[in-house]
Amino acid sequence: MKIVYMGTPDFAVYALESVINAGHDVKAVITQPDKPQGRSKALVPTPVKKKAMEHDIPVYQPEKVRDEETVNMLKDINPDAIVVAAYGQILPESILNIPQYGCINIHASLLPKYRGAAPIEWSIIDGEDKTGVTTMYMEKGLDTGDMIEKVEIEISKDDTGATLHDKLAVAGAELILSTLKALEEGTATRTKQDDKASCYASMLRKDMGDIDFTKSATEIERLIRGLNPWPCAYTKIDGKGVKIFKADVKALSEEEKYNPGEIIEVTKKTFTIACGKDALVIRNLQPEGKKPMDTVAYLNGNKLEKGMRVNV
């Protein structure tokens, strides 16, 4: 099939490579403009742009995809389908109506649940035991179009935002090939979404990582995993900022009463913080200005005592 591919981050690279390797004719890639990074503010290409350039595919980076020049370029290409994965802009009807088989989105959730910008992370934070990828026909609404195919992925108790991202990216790369084949053969189905079953996975913000120890240890542990690697869960220990990357839930009996945020145990290898319910055993963290480390290394350089309070 003659394809135009739209995507921006690492998640979208997997499906682009898959579509290319399957022999589809990718005529153009559209991705977000390069962004300045680091102290030098040097412009850095998106992961999708880098992959497209490896395959000598023309790359377009409009500030606004709805501009007349981009729409006319797409009309000239006249693709059979436009494949979209985490592109970052909403497509106007002037583009949605161009391809014969439509604009097909690869979305990292089991729609209609978790529409929006951060479905991977929220599925962990909310304690889901499974998620997946849905291919869907795009329409004017945000992730509201008719569904074509789905694949389910189990969320393990150790999954982080990073590990689940990679599982879903691989699954999406496989699913889009199945969907394109069904479109070409005329066997693709359309299933309407139940709006009542939907929820919105809002964009992640840095302040979401500020740990509230009045919440249960289970909720906080999921937050830690969901926000790893960005924006990360964090707190203050002995007045210094610390990112928490891994922690285990420790059940407490009803007789064990502690103040949320109180360090209730310090050993040579770990320390434990009381929460609104149960406690967290800290396993991996990153002190301000240092590299990530296990708790053993942290305790070698930081003297913690039972009864100390965190986040103060």
Side-chain angles (χ1 to χ4, degrees):
M1 294 174 75
K2 189 164 57 169
I3 301 290
V4 168
Y5 191 88
M6 295 185 178
T8 297
D10 286 319
F11 178 83
V13 171
Y14 291 72
L16 173 58
E17 184 110 67
S18 178
V19 169
I20 294 168
N21 291 342
H24 292 287
D25 185 10
V26 182
K27 290 294 187 184
V29 161
I30 298 180
T31 188
Q32 295 282 60
D34 298 350
K35 286 188 176 180
Q37 282 186 12
R39 292 181 181 176
S40 67
K41 300 296 181 186
L43 290 176
V44 177
T46 71
V48 163
K49 179 180 180 177
K50 290 178 184 176
K51 182 57 63 177
M53 291 172 69
E54 284 177 23
H55 291 275
D56 296 320
I57 298 169
V59 176
Y60 300 86
Q61 297 177 275
E63 288 287 343
K64 293 184 178 179
V65 74
R66 62 178 59 245
D67 68 40
E68 190 176 350
E69 185 180 346
T70 303
V71 174
N72 287 337
M73 178 270 292
L74 289 170
K75 285 179 178 176
D76 288 342
I77 293 175
N78 191 27
D80 296 318
I82 294 177
V83 175
V84 183
Y87 170 51
Q89 294 188 42
I90 293 174
L91 304 190
E93 279 191 280
S94 55
I95 290 176
L96 295 175
N97 295 331
I98 291 172
Q100 175 187 350
Y101 296 111
C103 295
I104 309 302
N105 183 229
I106 306 166
H107 185 75
S109 82
L110 296 174
L111 289 171
K113 214 167 188 185
Y114 296 107
R115 295 171 178 170
I120 299 172
E121 295 84 355
W122 278 107
S123 64
I124 295 174
I125 294 167
D126 288 348
E128 302 286 351
D129 56 12
K130 67 178 179 181
T131 184
V133 179
T134 307
T135 51
M136 54 176 280
Y137 293 99
M138 296 181 73
E139 57 175 37
K140 284 192 296 182
L142 180 63
D143 301 328
T144 56
D146 291 349
M147 301 175 292
I148 306 170
E149 293 182 303
K150 291 184 186 182
V151 61
E152 288 188 0
I153 298 293
E154 183 182 337
I155 301 175
S156 78
K157 61 182 180 60
D158 297 321
D159 266 326
T160 65
T163 61
L164 190 56
H165 165 281
D166 291 352
K167 288 180 185 179
L168 293 172
V170 170
E174 294 172 357
L175 190 65
I176 189 59
L177 298 186
S178 168
T179 298
L180 290 176
K181 186 171 186 286
L183 289 168
E184 200 168 16
E185 294 176 350
T187 58
T189 57
R190 299 185 78 116
T191 305
K192 289 208 171 294
Q193 294 191 43
D194 179 3
D195 291 341
K196 293 177 184 175
S198 74
C199 63
Y200 180 63
S202 61
M203 193 176 291
L204 301 180
R205 305 183 316 274
K206 214 165 187 177
D207 63 359
M208 285 173 56
D210 191 358
I211 299 173
D212 176 2
F213 285 96
T214 64
K215 293 186 174 180
S216 73
T218 298
E219 288 177 281
I220 297 169
E221 191 273 337
R222 294 193 312 235
L223 182 78
I224 290 168
R225 288 189 292 116
L227 298 186
N228 180 356
W230 192 91
C232 296
Y234 59 88
T235 189
K236 284 185 177 179
I237 300 176
D238 202 17
K240 299 172 185 174
V242 177
K243 292 177 180 177
I244 309 290
F245 289 117
K246 183 171 173 55
D248 296 332
V249 175
K250 180 180 181 179
L252 299 179
S253 68
E254 289 190 11
E255 289 74 35
E256 296 177 280
K257 302 289 186 184
Y258 301 100
N259 293 314
E262 179 184 348
I263 295 177
I264 62 173
E265 185 180 37
V266 181
T267 70
K268 289 182 178 180
K269 293 184 177 181
T270 65
F271 62 97
T272 304
I273 305 171
C275 304
K277 181 183 178 185
D278 297 324
L280 279 180
V281 182
I282 308 303
R283 299 290 184 187
N284 194 281
L285 65 168
Q286 182 180 10
E288 225 169 73
K290 301 284 180 69
K291 292 181 178 180
M293 59 184 71
D294 61 26
T295 309
V296 176
Y298 177 77
L299 290 172
N300 284 338
N302 295 271
K303 185 171 173 58
L304 301 187
E305 295 178 354
K306 184 177 178 180
M308 288 176 67
R309 299 289 300 276
V310 304
N311 220 13
V312 292

